Amino acid sequence: MPTNKQILLDNRPTGEAQASNFKLASGTTPPLKDGEVLVKHHFLSLDPYMRGRMNDAKSYTAPQPVGQVMQGGTVGEVVESRSPKFQPGDKVVGMGGWQEYSVVSADQPGSIRKVDTTHVPLSHYLGAVGMPGVTAWYGLVKIIEPQAGQTVVVSAASGAVGSALGALAKARGCRAVGIAGGPDKCRYVTEELGFDACVDYKQHKDAGSLSKALKEACPDGIDGYFENVGGMVMDAVMLRMNAHGRIALCGMIAGYDGQPIPMAYPQLLLTNRIKLQGFIVSEHMEVWPQALQELGQLVGSGKLRPRESVAQGLESAPEAFLGMLKGKNFGKQVVKVA
Ligand SMILES: NC(=O)c1ccc[n+]([C@@H]2O[C@H](COP(=O)([O-])OP(=O)(O)OC[C@H]3O[C@@H](n4cnc5c(N)ncnc54)[C@H](OP(=O)(O)O)[C@@H]3O)[C@@H](O)[C@H]2O)c1
């Protein structure tokens, strides 16, 4: 069986996560039992939710155990199979974690899925045509429920989730407006992703100033907001929400290292009769097939052109992960393992 390099969670962060919270280890994969397959990972996914799981705190799921391989999404190739469902060479998506190989029980529902790379590159199954894409789909379709002609805003618009949101909103006849950090990301959001406008939040030092810029970008106000960030960005959007607006509360990355993220204007939820709903995409598996079909068509037809930041080699995963939490990624952050 092959040698298998792995990244473990070595200790839990206090405050900002550090490279020293992780440890490189090496072992060999165990021999396959009946019903198991050996997957060689080509790419692993780095996602903001992993920061939350590094804490030993009450959340929607159990914390990442210390001393074990960092959990996470992977795409790769079956290299050995003792299951009739998979053949060597099959391209698969699964939850193999931060390591070069994983042994997977093919009979466990949802553990591993074959994917077709004819029109969609393998790594996109970790991004636009994977969990982040479905996240955008769920928040938009099931919570924001936009009507054609309405204005939908998303923060972290150039990222894995935000970039998919734009294409999905445009497909429903909406005005799509992004919020992103820096001129390069904003240019990508409008010129390549097809958003109608993008506001660079880094040009504004407070919610009032950002809100004025949003007024120009959203002359008819904001009907739907897909929240990825929290803090000042959320406050600025709240000031522009229309009556009966909907907010899909997907993430609050501005507070993932433990920073306080107070909400400045909660009274606007009442006066504007806003629906605000948090959600976790893995609790809505029933929408995944429908969402993945639409997302696959958008990518295959070129209407959604996702970008990726590709870190090279398993050892680069901790630094790439910490960089993503600070916005150093441009699009979906993945690690090329093989
Ligand atoms: N609820 C769910 O089921 C679910 C599922 C998947 C993802 N999520 C959430 O969705 C959000 C986006 O995830 P993703 O995978 O698509 O990540 P991403 O957007 O590809 O990367 C994270 C981005 O967040 C932005 N950011 C970081 N710190 C920020 C701050 N202090 N203020 C404003 N922006 C900041 C950065 O973009 P800029 O350079 O533009 O600032 C960075 O590139 C995260 O909050 C994540 O936790 C939730």
Side-chain angles (χ1 to χ4, degrees):
M1 301 306 281
T3 309
N4 186 24
K5 278 194 277 179
Q6 307 174 313
I7 306 272
L8 316 181
L9 178 64
D10 187 51
N11 55 81
R12 298 198 189 280
T14 45
E16 204 173 298
Q18 312 282 341
S20 58
N21 297 131
F22 304 95
K23 186 167 91 179
L24 183 65
S26 184
T28 46
T29 56
L32 297 187
K33 299 190 201 106
D34 278 346
E36 289 184 338
V37 297
L38 178 66
V39 181
K40 183 179 168 92
H41 299 157
H42 288 198
F43 294 91
L44 57 96
S45 179
L46 298 179
D47 296 275
Y49 75 82
M50 295 165 174
R51 174 64 190 86
R53 291 195 187 172
M54 291 170 74
N55 296 339
D56 187 8
K58 181 178 179 297
S59 187
Y60 57 89
T61 188
Q64 159 76 40
V66 172
Q68 291 192 19
V69 177
M70 283 293 292
Q71 297 159 353
T74 44
V75 287
E77 181 178 353
V78 172
V79 288
E80 200 183 321
S81 176
R82 288 189 60 183
S83 163
K85 295 176 188 159
F86 292 92
Q87 304 304 317
D90 284 347
K91 299 291 189 300
V92 291
V93 58
M95 286 293 288
W98 296 19
Q99 55 185 339
E100 293 175 311
Y101 292 88
S102 59
V103 172
V104 185
S105 165
D107 296 327
Q108 197 181 316
S111 60
I112 182 175
R113 180 167 56 86
K114 267 186 233 183
V115 292
D116 179 358
T117 54
T118 319
H119 302 294
V120 174
L122 183 60
S123 56
H124 286 358
Y125 287 100
L126 297 174
V129 193
M131 183 277 286
V134 179
T135 302
W137 192 98
Y138 187 86
L140 182 73
V141 176
K142 296 294 181 184
I143 298 177
I144 293 176
E145 299 182 285
Q147 306 290 310
Q150 292 190 331
T151 299
V152 174
V153 173
V154 60
S155 51
S158 73
V161 174
S163 52
L165 196 286
L168 293 167
K170 289 306 294 176
R172 285 159 179 78
C174 298
R175 178 173 175 80
V177 176
I179 302 174
D184 289 348
K185 286 187 177 180
C186 279
R187 205 171 306 114
Y188 164 66
V189 165
T190 51
E191 291 179 6
E192 282 185 53
L193 291 175
F195 282 65
D196 297 286
C198 185
V199 176
D200 177 0
Y201 74 90
K202 290 190 175 168
Q203 295 295 319
H204 302 275
K205 63 180 186 336
D206 57 47
S209 166
L210 179 55
S211 173
K212 277 195 196 119
L214 281 169
K215 188 176 182 184
E216 270 179 43
C218 309
D220 299 327
I222 298 170
D223 303 293
Y225 178 44
F226 192 101
E227 176 60 291
N228 283 322
V229 164
M232 174 187 96
V233 173
M234 183 172 195
D235 291 339
V237 173
M238 288 275 285
L239 289 167
R240 295 289 159 214
M241 290 294 295
N242 289 333
H244 304 290
R246 289 84 61 200
I247 300 178
L249 186 44
C250 171
M252 300 192 109
I253 198 167
Y256 284 4
D257 273 326
Q259 310 91 317
I261 36 170
M263 192 189 244
Y265 311 107
Q267 70 275 22
L268 294 174
L269 294 172
L270 171 64
T271 52
N272 285 327
R273 288 87 79 207
I274 286 170
K275 176 179 93 170
L276 181 151
Q277 190 180 328
F279 71 101
I280 297 298
V281 70
S282 53
E283 292 179 349
H284 302 282
M285 295 312 291
E286 73 286 354
V287 307
W288 282 55
Q290 186 188 355
L292 288 173
Q293 191 184 15
E294 181 175 355
L295 290 156
Q297 279 165 358
L298 285 170
V299 171
S301 65
K303 287 186 180 150
L304 169 52
R305 289 189 280 161
R307 267 207 200 192
E308 292 175 334
S309 286
V310 184
Q312 298 294 331
L314 183 76
E315 292 86 343
S316 67
E319 287 296 349
F321 173 66
L322 299 172
M324 177 202 57
L325 293 175
K326 293 187 171 5
K328 288 187 187 159
N329 62 315
F330 198 144
K332 170 67 196 166
Q333 181 70 58
V334 293
V335 178
K336 185 159 177 19
V337 185

